[in-house]
Amino acid sequence: MTTKYTTDHEWVNIEDHDAAVVGITQHAQDALGDVVFVDLPAVGSSFAMGDVAGVVESVKAAADLYMPVSGEVVEVNEALRAEPALANTDPLGHGWFFKVKVSDMTEFDQLMDAPAYEQLVKDS
């Protein structure tokens, strides 16, 4: 499994040759504070890289969730919908947002690896 990151603080794990899991980073959940609601995309919806795919609302603010790679949503995390705080308690695990069937794997190569993302966070 390979994890990459966006400048908008989403992470994406490629599980196999065309499936990916998407969530928000530890930095994003720290900045948002206590997550109280998530608006997840509908299964079957298709998005281009960079499209708004959902919304995360916290006690501090609301933030758009951007699609890190183009593709079709094949599953959403219903546990997160029922318990939005999972985005805070386990953002890189049980707090994942949705799974996507990637339509263009070359987009994955445009995302940041962990050291590049850590530098982005450090510089911000």
Side-chain angles (χ1 to χ4, degrees):
M1 181 170 54
T2 302
T3 304
K4 295 277 189 135
Y5 302 87
T6 72
T7 57
D8 296 309
H9 308 289
E10 288 91 16
W11 58 262
V12 56
N13 285 337
I14 298 297
E15 294 188 316
D16 60 39
H17 68 281
D18 68 350
V21 180
V22 177
I24 61 171
T25 66
Q26 184 72 41
H27 176 79
Q29 76 83 27
D30 286 344
L32 283 168
D34 294 336
V35 174
V36 295
F37 176 77
V38 292
D39 180 19
L40 300 173
V43 171
S45 300
S46 292
F47 296 91
M49 182 182 195
D51 284 354
V52 174
V55 177
V56 182
E57 293 183 15
S58 73
V59 294
K60 291 183 183 178
D64 289 331
L65 179 66
Y66 297 95
M67 183 63 82
V69 291
S70 299
E72 178 186 344
V73 176
V74 294
E75 184 179 348
V76 296
N77 186 351
E78 293 297 341
L80 182 66
R81 194 185 314 265
E83 188 180 344
L86 285 172
N88 295 114
T89 59
D90 194 10
L92 305 177
H94 295 291
W96 60 275
F97 281 67
F98 56 86
K99 294 183 181 181
V100 60
K101 181 176 180 184
V102 181
S103 60
D104 184 356
M105 284 301 292
T106 63
E107 292 175 347
F108 189 69
D109 297 331
Q110 299 171 33
L111 302 174
M112 293 178 282
D113 61 12
Y117 180 72
E118 289 167 12
Q119 189 63 47
L120 173 80
V121 170
K122 183 179 172 186
D123 292 345
S124 60

